[in-house]
Amino acid sequence: MSKETEKLEAKARLEKVRELIRYHDHRYHVLDDPVISDGEYDLLFQELLALEARYPDLVSADSPSHRLGGSVAEGFTAVRHVHPMLSLDNIFSTIEFQSFQEKLQRFLRTDLPLRFMTEPKVDGLAVELVYRQGFLHTGSTRGDGLIGENITAQLKTVKAIPLRLQGDQDIPIPDELYVRGEVFLSKQGFQRLNQLRHQQGEPLFANPRNAAAGSLRQLDPRITARRPLDFFVYGVANPEVLPAEGQEALLTILSRIGFPVSPLVKGCGLPGEVEQQYQQVLALRHALDYEVDGLVVKVDTFALQRRLGFTARAPRWAVAWKFPATQATTKIEAVDFQVGRTGVVTPVALLAPVEIDGVVVQRATLHNQDEMKRKDLRLGDTVLVQRAGDVIPEVIKAVPELRNGDEQPIMFPASCPECGHPLARVQGEAAIRCVNEHCRAQQQQRLIYFAGKSGLDLDGLGKKNVEQLVRSGVVGDIADFFFLDAGQLASLEGWGEKSARNVVAAIEDRKRIPLARFLAALGIRHVGEVTAAALAEHFTSLHELMAADEEQFRRVDGIGEQVAASLSLFFQDPDVHRMIERLEKAGLVVVAADKGRSQPLAGRVFLFTGSLQTMSREEAKRSVKVRGGQVANTVSERVTDVVVGEKAGGKMKKAHELQLPLLSEREFIQLVSAVEE
């Protein structure tokens, strides 16, 4: 290919990329309704910069590389920024950060290590607050970096933003101060807002960032005031008016005069500290109660910042080290309907493979029939998919603008896809379930649950191995696990003598099991760890419990009519009685709680932060108390264990500073189960 042809192709691609970026900028900054993920947008912008760097003569005056997207929304007046609100260049790897450092050192002509200030890149809406004589005068959006929207009335409703600055003798308030920061919505606030919009029949926000932007763009400030918005300050446009020589000192001053500063900001002066902080904030990412999509790294000293200066669109002295994207767009290729251990049928989207947060995602939950209808999802749709930590990926929304007419409705089956039994829906429940207790799919899921981490945790019997045992006819019910022998297992495909012996040894190790753990492992509907513990405290043996009727179950503390009915139905089943008889014949001993023994968690103090997925906060606290432990509501040195759920907040940060032991929800469940042994 000739250079002339290559350049013509590059020019055509440049025009296409610019057009795409302008379109997505408008969706993101003006409509607050993006149709691609941040990661995909970043790739487009990186392609634009690379092409313009290779062909500088093709750079146009209206290129998105010279602008930051966004225009004044109808109904808002324009505000010209005295100091442009520039964007930040993005980096995505340790190698790119090292290159950034080396570039700074070359520019400054020094080999000495630089001191950086690191701050979490909160995913919200950047705003500028202009204070005159200490009072909030004007608040505006970033807009295109030069001109933003006047949203002063809306910003005054955000309680975290001070309307008047508090100075003292050491920090006199300047005549004029241009403060920059991020308005955001907490994850819990986002969920509450979307629940309300769902009830009112309004379209849902795709993520907290768009919810925050949509809240600030309400022409009626009273609507904004009802949204639980928050704010973190990250800098000022005119730092020379404050007695600070660098970013760290500036944030300290801003905190003293009334602005909230992220508790995760940190100065980094030693080699490797920035990389360590990146990994630490990345690890905390999903436990925080607000969205963080990267780490902002700034040269700390203002004198060096002035020497380094700016490019056309970004400061040279700062970068945003982005985290792997948690959202991406892909297509629904098919839908699989899975039957769970309690009979609930869950639709699962089979997706065109897409990488999210460093993992290739090919399946995502669609939750239930109501959710599919609400989101108007169809086969062949381009959809936005989200993944967060260990949470199952989910389809957030469809992108109807990309439909071509070939998409088809998703039909929920009328009968069980595994056993053919008619499906039923209990009034008041969203779940549609197979009510056939002998459904083979349900039985297999119960076996997987029994052998898994939430059950007896039988080493070597993970999901795939249990499925193989069921397929081969070796295991049909729970009791069959305890009759397995090493020779039988070793003869199966993929098994060796050592792995077979290890599994048999793991099963042998579980032949003496506490009653509470055994009950929880059975997978009885509505019976989890806490309810199982309550039953074990109330009844003196497994056989006394099996002989109880519904009324006796209702006498157990914390058990209502629904749970009592489920227990009664389960233990009246003749197949359950035969299974337990076989378990006892195999040598299983179910040990009831010794009412006179010392409590296993005595002397330990637990603190819970964040939302738990498998139990309520009250159930978790009760599971500690019934085992002799204590529960604290505030972080202190007397706390021995901190249980961290989803969207954990400031308590986790303080616990980390005090170096208190942190437990995930899964580790907590394993702990309260293990201490009964």
Side-chain angles (χ1 to χ4, degrees):
M1 181 186 300
S2 69
K3 288 187 177 181
E4 185 177 347
T5 303
E6 185 179 343
K7 188 172 182 178
L8 285 172
E9 290 185 1
K11 182 180 180 181
R13 179 58 186 167
L14 258 175
E15 291 174 353
K16 180 64 175 176
V17 171
R18 287 170 184 156
E19 181 184 345
L20 285 170
I21 289 175
R22 292 188 192 103
Y23 170 76
H24 292 302
D25 278 345
H26 182 74
R27 302 282 317 196
Y28 189 96
H29 292 286
V30 177
L31 302 181
D32 300 317
D33 186 29
V35 294
I36 63 170
S37 67
D38 287 352
E40 290 165 307
Y41 179 91
D42 288 338
L43 289 175
L44 271 177
F45 213 103
Q46 292 299 312
E47 183 181 0
L48 171 69
L49 296 178
L51 286 169
E52 291 187 344
R54 187 172 181 183
Y55 301 100
D57 57 318
L58 295 181
V59 177
S60 61
D62 64 343
S63 170
S65 62
H66 297 304
R67 292 168 59 87
L68 295 172
S71 57
V72 177
E74 186 178 353
F76 290 103
T77 58
V79 173
R80 178 171 290 276
H81 301 300
V82 175
H83 309 275
M85 290 187 71
L86 299 179
S87 184
L88 293 174
D89 287 331
N90 294 328
I91 61 173
F92 300 90
S93 67
T94 300
I95 293 175
E96 287 183 278
F97 174 66
Q98 291 171 347
S99 175
F100 167 68
Q101 290 184 89
E102 292 166 0
K103 189 184 299 183
L104 294 180
Q105 289 173 323
R106 285 196 303 270
F107 194 98
L108 296 170
R109 298 181 180 179
T110 180
D111 292 329
L112 296 176
L114 299 171
R115 178 174 175 79
F116 294 100
M117 195 67 192
T118 62
E119 306 159 20
K121 188 176 181 298
V122 178
D123 194 12
L125 187 73
V127 299
E128 179 174 70
L129 309 169
V130 179
Y131 288 83
R132 291 181 179 167
Q133 281 74 50
F135 291 87
L136 178 59
H137 181 269
T138 308
S140 59
T141 64
R142 179 192 306 227
D144 67 0
L146 296 175
I147 298 176
E149 301 154 348
N150 189 329
I151 54 169
T152 308
Q154 289 77 6
L155 287 170
K156 283 183 175 180
T157 71
V158 180
K159 295 179 181 178
I161 294 176
L163 300 180
R164 181 179 181 180
L165 305 182
Q166 304 297 318
D168 55 38
Q169 292 181 346
D170 296 329
I171 310 174
I173 299 300
D175 291 339
E176 210 163 47
L177 187 64
Y178 297 87
V179 177
R180 273 58 185 292
E182 202 84 7
V183 175
F184 61 93
L185 197 66
S186 71
K187 294 175 183 175
Q188 292 186 35
F190 169 69
Q191 290 180 344
R192 291 195 300 270
L193 177 58
N194 263 352
Q195 286 172 358
L196 179 62
R197 291 176 71 85
H198 175 50
Q199 293 168 3
Q200 296 174 344
E202 298 176 340
L204 303 192
F205 288 114
N207 52 54
R209 186 267 165 203
N210 297 113
S215 298
L216 286 176
R217 282 192 161 118
Q218 296 294 323
L219 291 175
D220 185 351
R222 291 172 297 182
I223 298 176
T224 307
R226 294 196 291 267
R227 307 280 174 85
L229 297 170
D230 211 334
F231 175 78
F232 279 149
V233 68
Y234 58 69
V236 298
N238 55 336
E240 66 277 3
V241 301
L242 292 172
E245 295 183 353
Q247 179 71 8
E248 186 169 14
L250 173 68
L251 291 177
T252 300
I253 290 173
L254 291 173
S255 177
R256 286 177 59 181
I257 64 177
F259 292 99
V261 176
S262 168
L264 295 177
V265 300
K266 183 181 179 182
C268 299
L270 298 175
E273 277 193 302
V274 172
E275 293 95 323
Q276 291 173 8
Q277 183 66 2
Y278 174 88
Q279 293 298 334
Q280 183 176 359
V281 178
L282 177 60
L284 295 175
R285 176 189 195 180
H286 298 303
L288 296 172
D289 192 30
Y290 48 89
E291 295 287 352
V292 175
D293 62 359
L295 189 74
V296 176
V297 185
K298 302 176 181 177
V299 172
D300 186 31
T301 309
F302 291 144
L304 292 180
Q305 289 185 11
R306 287 192 291 271
R307 284 179 58 190
L308 288 163
F310 303 85
T311 65
R313 64 177 297 273
R316 289 193 181 92
W317 41 265
V319 290
W321 191 345
K322 299 294 286 289
F323 292 153
T326 59
Q327 293 185 340
T329 50
T330 185
K331 282 199 171 188
I332 297 179
E333 297 183 333
V335 175
D336 185 24
F337 293 89
Q338 297 184 343
V339 183
R341 62 185 172 85
T342 62
V344 174
V345 178
T346 302
V348 176
L350 307 184
L351 308 168
V354 61
E355 185 171 322
I356 308 176
D357 205 2
V359 174
V360 175
V361 172
Q362 294 180 271
R363 304 168 71 87
T365 181
L366 300 177
H367 296 294
N368 53 55
Q369 186 181 46
D370 291 348
E371 279 293 283
M372 288 195 304
K373 287 183 178 179
R374 182 180 65 78
K375 295 174 182 176
D376 187 25
L377 299 175
R378 307 176 190 180
L379 288 174
D381 260 345
T382 297
V383 292
L384 188 66
V385 181
Q386 177 170 286
R387 178 181 181 272
D390 292 331
V391 179
I392 298 170
E394 64 173 329
V395 172
I396 300 297
K397 68 173 186 177
V399 186
E401 295 87 347
L402 299 181
R403 287 175 178 158
N404 60 16
D406 293 335
E407 295 79 15
Q408 298 294 322
I410 300 172
M411 305 302 295
F412 209 96
S415 57
C416 176
E418 298 291 341
C419 70
H421 196 281
L423 299 179
R425 180 171 181 171
V426 177
Q427 188 173 4
E429 290 187 8
I432 296 175
R433 64 180 74 242
C434 172
V435 294
N436 176 16
E437 289 290 331
H438 302 289
C439 172
R440 292 170 63 181
Q442 293 181 54
Q443 291 173 338
Q444 177 169 288
Q445 291 302 318
R446 284 194 287 267
L447 289 169
I448 292 170
Y449 183 83
F450 183 85
K453 298 289 184 183
S454 299
L456 296 198
D457 193 14
L458 299 175
D459 190 31
L461 286 179
K463 181 175 182 289
K464 290 184 178 180
N465 280 349
V466 173
E467 288 174 343
Q468 181 190 18
L469 294 179
V470 173
R471 279 197 312 271
S472 61
V474 175
V475 171
D477 70 8
I478 287 170
D480 289 336
F481 284 125
F482 292 85
F483 287 94
L484 293 173
D485 64 69
Q488 182 184 32
L489 291 175
S491 66
L492 297 175
E493 183 181 353
W495 290 73
E497 292 184 5
K498 183 177 180 180
S499 58
R501 288 196 304 269
N502 288 342
V503 165
V504 171
I507 294 170
E508 189 67 29
D509 187 53
R510 289 292 187 267
K511 283 191 174 180
R512 184 175 179 84
I513 196 78
L515 176 58
R517 186 166 188 180
F518 178 71
L519 292 173
L522 290 174
I524 306 168
R525 191 179 175 195
H526 303 307
V527 177
E529 296 281 340
V530 175
T531 302
L535 290 166
E537 285 292 316
H538 186 88
F539 293 99
T540 60
S541 69
L542 173 61
H543 284 278
E544 181 190 0
L545 186 149
M546 291 173 64
D549 58 23
E550 194 169 327
E551 176 60 31
Q552 288 172 299
F553 284 128
R554 281 199 293 267
R555 294 175 193 161
V556 179
D557 185 28
I559 290 182
E561 292 185 6
Q562 190 178 42
V563 180
S566 179
L567 284 163
S568 179
L569 182 66
F570 181 84
F571 285 112
Q572 286 176 8
D573 190 334
D575 287 341
V576 171
H577 283 259
R578 284 192 289 271
M579 176 192 70
I580 291 175
E581 287 175 8
R582 290 187 65 223
L583 285 170
E584 292 176 337
K585 186 179 294 185
L588 182 73
V589 177
V590 180
V591 183
D594 183 353
K595 305 299 190 293
R597 73 181 179 184
S598 61
Q599 296 296 315
L601 295 182
R604 297 176 71 165
V605 180
F606 288 76
L607 175 83
F608 294 89
T609 178
S611 303
L612 304 179
Q613 304 301 305
T614 58
M615 64 179 74
S616 70
R617 180 77 64 86
E618 290 307 312
E619 288 175 323
K621 289 180 177 179
R622 186 173 180 277
S623 70
V624 169
K625 292 175 181 177
V626 298
R627 293 165 176 80
Q630 299 179 57
V631 176
N633 293 320
T634 57
V635 183
S636 69
E637 293 182 351
R638 68 184 285 265
V639 173
T640 60
D641 301 87
V642 180
V643 181
V644 180
E646 289 290 318
K647 307 163 191 166
K651 287 182 180 179
M652 185 187 66
K653 170 65 175 174
K654 189 173 180 181
H656 184 75
E657 292 172 352
L658 293 176
Q659 297 184 332
L660 300 177
L662 304 180
L663 297 175
S664 67
E665 182 176 352
R666 177 180 292 179
E667 290 171 329
F668 170 71
I669 291 173
Q670 291 174 346
L671 170 67
V672 295
S673 299
V675 294
E676 297 174 3
E677 298 181 357

